[in-house]
Every structure is written in structure tokens, then in C-alpha cells.
Amino acid sequence: MTRPQRSDAARNRATVLAAADELFATAAAPAGLSMDDVAAAAGVGKGTLFRAFGSRAGLIQALWDLRTEPLGRAIENGPPPLGPGTDPRRRIAAILDAIVVVKLDNRYLTLAVEERSGGASLYEQPQYQLVHRLLSDLLRDAGRGKESELLAHVLLAAVRADLLDHLIGARGSSRRQLRAGVAAVADLVLNGSGG
Amino acid sequence: MTRPQRSDAARNRATVLAAADELFATAAAPAGLSMDDVAAAAGVGKGTLFRAFGSRAGLIQALWDLRTEPLGRAIENGPPPLGPGTDPRRRIAAILDAIVVVKLDNRYLTLAVEERSGGASLYEQPQYQLVHRLLSDLLRDAGRGKESELLAHVLLAAVRADLLDHLIGARGSSRRQLRAGVAAVADLVLNGSGG
DNA sequence: TTGGCAAGTGGACCGTCGGTCCGCATAGTC
DNA sequence: GACTATGCGGACCGACGGTCCACTTGCCAA
């Protein structure tokens, strides 16, 4: 089976994560961040980096997992409205809002996560599929019937990183406006005719 | 001012467009299509290719313009429901459906067009901005008020190439199902509460 | 027809990137 | 202290978008 990891490997992994986090927090554009940059910033060889994370996508995913882990737990078994136990409409709205907040707090990292690199699209990512499944179920509970799956995709498309980024950059939207806008869209989808 | 183009240049441009079109029609993945591939398929040097189209994005855009020009004209000054002169709700639905059809007919090309390459995102493309403006105005006419701009983005997000591609590939959706689904979403957004 | 030259051509070449390889260092163990 | 699996690091690789420039060719004027 898998043997325990050596201490220097664990230390390096943490160093790299910290350095990459810092870089993504300050970078102007995520696409311009090369693996050499990350390795240099972490004071580590490129081989080490790839040994620890497998690929560029793996590193980004690891960072993203770190940042979204609290939200994931809150949704899975936290208190309402994020956690289970509320009216599905309210929960959907809460989840979407929380997603927007996380994405705004990690703007460039989120852009990098959603960038299609290699053959893998956003829609193949386990996290996406998890949220999509959850939203689908909630929409079904809310009486959205057979369109639930598609509607879940549409709701998630409304909070895609590049769209948010565009709304901030080109339209100058504020955080408040974005959250309100997404809430309005969700409300329309949730409470429109047919519900 | 700009001098007329030499005849061999025009011929080569046409050759390249034809070859690239053929390649995109048969390619398994657009990202795997290199400029060298296109040049080789067209029987032309790479320099010629870049002289004619400026960049990879330029070539893809030229192809896309060719494919969408008829739809553009139909929307701008064709007969209803695509052209002006109908109920805005009906026109929005017609435009969205036409967009889905074009995207499905040019699946890999569309993926390539919407792939963020270089710094430019989908939202910076003139064509996107044109359609977005039109949809915004129509939504406003339909009484959608201040959320019109955001709603237009959301409607367009619902027909993004990678989403359609995912629905076809992973969920096995048929052309019919996709068109019906998008129509249902549009209906919800257009006729939901608040209109 | 011809001569001149701007426009166009093509492919060798470049810089960058993600990713691999492998000789060397070192942590963990007895 | 010795032995070994694990990890390290940076030279290296292949692919890609894009550039350069010596050569060719279409076009026009004489």
C-alpha cells in the first residue's frame, strides 16, 4: 500500500502551497503563472513540484481544495441555510451566494481552476459534479421537475469565474452588486412560473 | 491607405480557410489542432498563415465569422422572429435557439472560439458584446428592468460551447433535447415572476 | 517585353511552457 | 554507522505560437 510520506517531502509540499497561494493572490493573470515561477518562488526544484502535485492542474486543484474545504463541510453537514434542513429554495440561494463569495475572494485562483487545460473541462471536475448533483436534487425538491439538471448547470454557469471577472473588470461591478445580481437570477429561476 | 491584396495572397487565404474548416469539422479536440497542422493541411508555409491571419485567434475568428455571418444578417435585418419586429420574448427565444443550432453545427470550431487564449476572454469578443447588447435591450423591452444586462449574460452562459459539449458527451443529450432545454430555460427567465 | 520593386512566401529558428529523467542527497530504520 | 527507499533539483525534452529573412512572384510603368 502507500507508505507514509517523508518529513522533508511534507515540508516542501507546504512550502510550495504557501508560495503558490501567495503568487495567485497577487498575480495579474493566472495564465501567466508558470510552474517555473512557482518553483522559484518556493525555492524548490521543478522536479519536486511535479513529484508533489503531478501536474499544473494538480497543484491548482490542491490549492483550490484548501480554499474551499470549509465551504464544502458547511454545505455537507453544517447548520442551515448552507447545510441541510431548510427549504430547498433558501438553501440553493445560500449555496450560490457562498460560491460567489469564495470565487471573489480567490479571483485569480478561481480563474485558473476553471481554465480548460489539457482535455479536462470544468464539467469533468469532481467538485463541479458534486455541487451540480446537489443543486439538481434541491431543484427537484423545489418542484423543478425534469429540467432540474439543466437548470443546475445554468445556475452554475451564472457564477463562472470568467463571467464574474468580466463583470468586475469591464462593467466595474462591486462585490455587493454581483451578489445581489446572482441572488436575483436565482430568485427568478427558483420562483418563476412552474414552481 | 491599404493597398489591394495580391492575387496569390487571396488564393492562399481561401486555401487556408478551407483546409482549417475541414480540420475543425473532423478534429477530435480543438486544442490539439496546431498552426503547423493547419499550414501542412493547406500546403502552405507557416509564415503565410500568420501573415494572412495574424495569430491563431485571428484564424479561428475568421472561420467563425464565415460561419455566423448569415445568422448575423438574419438577426440584424431579416424577417421575424429572428429579425426585428416581433414581441421581444419571441425574438429572444428565436435568437437563442439559432445560436444553439449554429454551435451544434460547428461544435469544435465553437469550442476553439470560446477557449480563452492569450489574455482575451470570450467576453471581450466583439461578437459576444454585440449579441449581449441586443439581448439586454430586448430584455429591457420585455420589462426585465435593471437586471437585463446580467440576465443577458446568464442566457448566453446557458449556451456556452463547453456546456453544450459536456451535455452531448457526458449526458448523451440529443440535439432535440438541448434545444428544448435551452428553450425551457429561456422561457423561465422570460416569463417568470417580475415580467 | 522588360525591368524594378513592393508584396508575399516558406521554413528554419526562437522563447516559453508543461512535463520527464536520473545522478545525487538524505531521512528513516536496524 | 551502514543500508535503502524516498525525495530532490535542474538539465533536458517535445510541442507550441509566433518571428525573421533570404528568396520568389505578381503587378505596373516605361
Side-chain angles (χ1 to χ4, degrees):
Chain A
M1 302 251 68
T2 53
R3 313 246 300 182
Q5 178 180 60
R6 240 168 62 173
S7 65
D8 51 348
R11 197 182 338 118
N12 270 329
R13 186 186 163 93
T15 307
V16 167
L17 275 176
D21 212 13
E22 167 77 14
L23 282 180
F24 271 112
T26 58
L33 247 184
S34 73
M35 293 299 267
D36 295 81
D37 291 340
V38 175
V44 141
K46 219 185 354 171
T48 304
L49 211 160
F50 277 91
R51 160 166 274 266
F53 299 98
S55 67
R56 184 183 145 97
L59 167 60
I60 291 171
Q61 191 63 49
L63 270 174
W64 184 240
D65 286 348
L66 263 185
R67 298 302 205 136
T68 57
E69 196 261 330
L71 176 56
R73 270 189 299 129
I75 289 176
E76 205 179 333
N77 48 34
L82 274 182
T86 337
D87 166 55
R89 284 181 168 78
R90 207 184 289 282
R91 193 165 174 217
I92 290 173
I95 290 174
L96 276 182
D97 186 60
I99 289 176
V100 170
V101 168
V102 172
K103 289 193 177 185
L104 293 178
D105 282 343
N106 302 277
R107 195 169 155 195
Y108 299 118
L109 176 58
T110 312
L111 276 173
V113 169
E114 297 193 9
E115 225 158 46
R116 136 192 304 267
S117 59
S121 85
L122 168 62
Y123 300 97
E124 257 103 55
Q125 291 179 13
Q127 279 208 359
Y128 182 92
Q129 296 185 343
L130 221 70
V131 183
H132 175 257
R133 175 76 57 110
L134 176 58
L135 288 183
S136 285
D137 292 347
L138 289 173
L139 282 164
R140 215 181 311 275
D141 291 348
R144 237 62 202 146
K146 68 184 172 70
E147 298 298 346
S148 299
E149 281 205 18
L150 185 56
L151 279 179
H153 282 302
V154 171
L155 284 178
L156 290 174
V159 298
R160 273 175 72 150
D162 53 356
L163 177 54
L164 295 178
D165 192 60
H166 169 72
L167 292 175
I168 294 175
R171 230 188 50 172
S173 300
S174 71
R175 192 185 180 86
R176 268 251 304 278
Q177 289 173 314
L178 286 177
R179 291 177 67 182
V182 169
V185 169
D187 182 67
L188 196 54
V189 170
L190 288 170
N191 300 312
S193 64
Chain B
M1 301 258 79
T2 54
R3 314 244 301 183
Q5 178 180 59
R6 241 168 62 173
S7 64
D8 54 346
R11 197 182 337 117
N12 270 330
R13 185 184 163 92
T15 307
V16 168
L17 276 177
D21 213 13
E22 167 77 16
L23 282 181
F24 271 111
T26 58
L33 247 183
S34 73
M35 293 300 267
D36 295 81
D37 291 340
V38 175
V44 141
K46 218 183 357 168
T48 304
L49 211 161
F50 276 91
R51 161 166 274 265
F53 298 98
S55 67
R56 185 185 145 96
L59 168 62
I60 291 170
Q61 191 63 49
L63 271 175
W64 183 241
D65 287 348
L66 264 185
R67 298 303 204 132
T68 56
E69 197 260 331
L71 175 56
R73 271 188 298 129
I75 290 176
E76 204 179 335
N77 48 35
L82 273 183
T86 338
D87 168 54
R89 284 182 168 77
R90 206 184 290 282
R91 193 165 173 217
I92 291 174
I95 290 174
L96 276 182
D97 185 60
I99 289 176
V100 170
V101 168
V102 172
K103 289 193 176 185
L104 293 178
D105 282 343
N106 301 277
R107 194 170 156 193
Y108 298 117
L109 176 58
T110 311
L111 276 174
V113 169
E114 297 192 10
E115 225 159 46
R116 129 189 313 263
S117 59
S121 85
L122 168 62
Y123 301 96
E124 257 102 55
Q125 291 180 13
Q127 280 207 0
Y128 182 93
Q129 297 186 343
L130 222 71
V131 183
H132 175 257
R133 175 75 60 109
L134 175 58
L135 288 183
S136 286
D137 292 346
L138 289 173
L139 282 164
R140 215 180 309 275
D141 291 349
R144 237 58 201 153
K146 67 184 172 76
E147 298 298 346
S148 300
E149 280 203 20
L150 184 56
L151 278 179
H153 281 302
V154 171
L155 284 178
L156 289 174
V159 297
R160 273 175 72 151
D162 53 356
L163 177 54
L164 295 178
D165 193 58
H166 169 71
L167 293 176
I168 294 175
R171 229 188 49 172
S173 300
S174 70
R175 191 184 180 87
R176 267 253 303 278
Q177 289 173 314
L178 286 177
R179 291 177 68 182
V182 170
V185 169
D187 183 68
L188 196 54
V189 171
L190 289 169
N191 301 313
S193 63

